[in-house]
Amino acid sequence: MKTALTIAGSDCSGGAGIQADIKTMMANGVFAMSAVTALTAQNTTGVAGILEVTAGFLKEQLDCIFNDIRPDAVKIGMVSSGELIRAIAEKLKEYHAVHIVVDPVMVATSGAKLISDDAIDILKEELLGIADILTPNILEAEVLAEMPIRTEEDMIKAAEKIGRYYHCAVLLKGGHQLNDANDLLYREATYRWFYGKRISNPNTHGTGCTLSSAIASNLAKGFPMDISVERAKSYISGALGAMLDLGAGSGPMDHAFAITGEYVKEAEKYR
Ligand SMILES: Nc1ncnc2c1ncn2[C@@H]1O[C@H](COP(=O)(O)OP(=O)(O)O)[C@@H](O)[C@H]1O
Ligand SMILES: Cc1ncc(COP(=O)(O)OP(=O)(O)O)c(N)n1
């Protein structure tokens, strides 16, 4: 079985972060592992608190993972401090990690900051250069490309600027801010649009985490980059389209939409 690792923060409410990543990886058919960067106290209405792990303990988690079950792909999500970012970069280089997907998480949809200002510079200097693909949303891409993004033309310019600078693929997500579901993949001096039907579902907690984990899962399974993105887009559309409605705020998606019921058929064989 192929394996994938998420290095991210825990969302106790289960819709984003490590929890969304593990559910996504499982639904996409890979064995999921996790190295926790922080515990968050949050729910569908917002983030109440963040408790970071120490850099030493994060390194210990990564040593245990890489020295035993080697990940076929790595997804990196919320990393709130420069020290933790440095620890991750050091360990991923030491273990020659492959298929690295970085979701440069900065602000939750609820408005909570998930990275400190000084850590953004360290993220740029230490981590983005070792990624195979970055998956910023519009706001994150504006920070990375240092330009405003208002139109699809701006998306092309920004993705190209980021991709050339960090020598990696860039999936710039139009979803939240441009009010559509069209994402742009820039890769090796070419770009391709991934058009998605906008689903009228206010429950979008964890969409970024889910998409990046689905890409990592498909890379782990050996699919090329553009096919991994295509498959990940289909997965997120299915998870949003299942119209789960939990919590008082922007709720989670149904990560299990594709597998629910399947195990019942399997179990019939053993009756
Ligand atoms: N209402 C929606 N309908 C269909 N796809 C969506 C919708 N909202 C977001 N997406 C998709 O979800 C993925 C994550 O994007 P986005 O929500 O912008 O990320 P983030 O959580 O990082 O802001 C993208 O592929 C985006 O196009
Ligand atoms: C622990 C944790 N990590 C990341 C996020 C942000 O999730 P994301 O999918 O980027 O976006 P929204 O959930 O804010 O739409 C989070 N909330 N918690």
Side-chain angles (χ1 to χ4, degrees), residues 7 58 62 76 79 84-92 127:
I7 306 174
L58 180 56
L62 294 171
I76 302 166
V79 193
L84 293 173
I85 292 166
R86 286 202 176 97
I88 294 168
E90 179 193 316
K91 286 293 165 189
L92 294 188
L127 205 55

Side-chain angles (χ1 to χ4, degrees), residues 124-136:
K124 288 177 172 179
E125 284 157 24
E126 305 273 339
L127 205 55
L128 303 191
I130 61 169
D132 290 286
I133 180 168
L134 305 177
T135 62

Side-chain angles (χ1 to χ4, degrees), residues 201-260:
N201 183 351
N203 299 304
T204 57
H205 181 53
T207 42
C209 304
T210 300
L211 183 76
S212 52
S213 295
I215 295 171
S217 304
N218 283 295
L219 289 174
K221 285 159 82 172
F223 289 106
M225 185 66 79
D226 56 337
I227 304 297
S228 295
V229 171
E230 196 173 290
R231 291 172 64 91
K233 272 297 269 181
S234 302
Y235 175 72
I236 192 137
S237 298
L240 272 169
M243 302 306 273
L244 183 65
D245 188 14
L246 296 173
S250 175
M253 290 164 289
D254 183 359
H255 289 95
F257 77 95
I259 48 178
T260 311

Side-chain angles (χ1 to χ4, degrees), residues 8-11 16-18 40 42 47 78 103 105 107-110 114 137 140 173 176 204-210:
S10 156
D11 168 6
I18 288 277
T40 69
Q42 66 173 298
V47 180
M78 173 191 165
D103 184 16
V105 177
V107 181
T109 308
S110 57
L114 298 176
N137 61 24
E140 291 152 357
K173 301 168 291 189
H176 277 144
T204 57
H205 181 53
T207 42
C209 304
T210 300

Side-chain angles (χ1 to χ4, degrees), residues 145-270:
E146 297 173 354
M147 60 174 274
I149 302 171
R150 306 273 177 271
T151 63
E152 293 196 339
E153 282 305 307
D154 293 341
M155 284 177 73
I156 296 171
K157 280 187 204 141
E160 185 171 355
K161 197 171 171 188
I162 298 166
R164 282 188 191 280
Y165 192 81
Y166 294 105
H167 304 287
C168 63
V170 178
L171 184 72
L172 210 172
K173 301 168 291 189
H176 277 144
Q177 289 89 16
L178 289 194
N179 209 30
D180 65 22
N182 301 334
D183 302 341
L184 176 75
L185 177 67
Y186 172 84
R187 188 172 158 260
E188 291 169 358
T190 58
Y191 65 86
R192 173 178 163 190
W193 284 99
F194 289 83
Y195 296 101
K197 186 169 172 280
R198 186 166 180 83
I199 298 157
S200 180
N201 183 351
N203 299 304
T204 57
H205 181 53
T207 42
C209 304
T210 300
L211 183 76
S212 52
S213 295
I215 295 171
S217 304
N218 283 295
L219 289 174
K221 285 159 82 172
F223 289 106
M225 185 66 79
D226 56 337
I227 304 297
S228 295
V229 171
E230 196 173 290
R231 291 172 64 91
K233 272 297 269 181
S234 302
Y235 175 72
I236 192 137
S237 298
L240 272 169
M243 302 306 273
L244 183 65
D245 188 14
L246 296 173
S250 175
M253 290 164 289
D254 183 359
H255 289 95
F257 77 95
I259 48 178
T260 311
E262 286 301 309
Y263 75 94
V264 178
K265 275 185 246 154
E266 272 300 298
E268 291 296 328
K269 291 184 199 160
Y270 305 101

Side-chain angles (χ1 to χ4, degrees), residues 26-41:
M26 199 180 153
N28 281 272
V30 297
F31 181 78
M33 298 179 281
S34 61
V36 180
T37 59
L39 304 178
T40 69

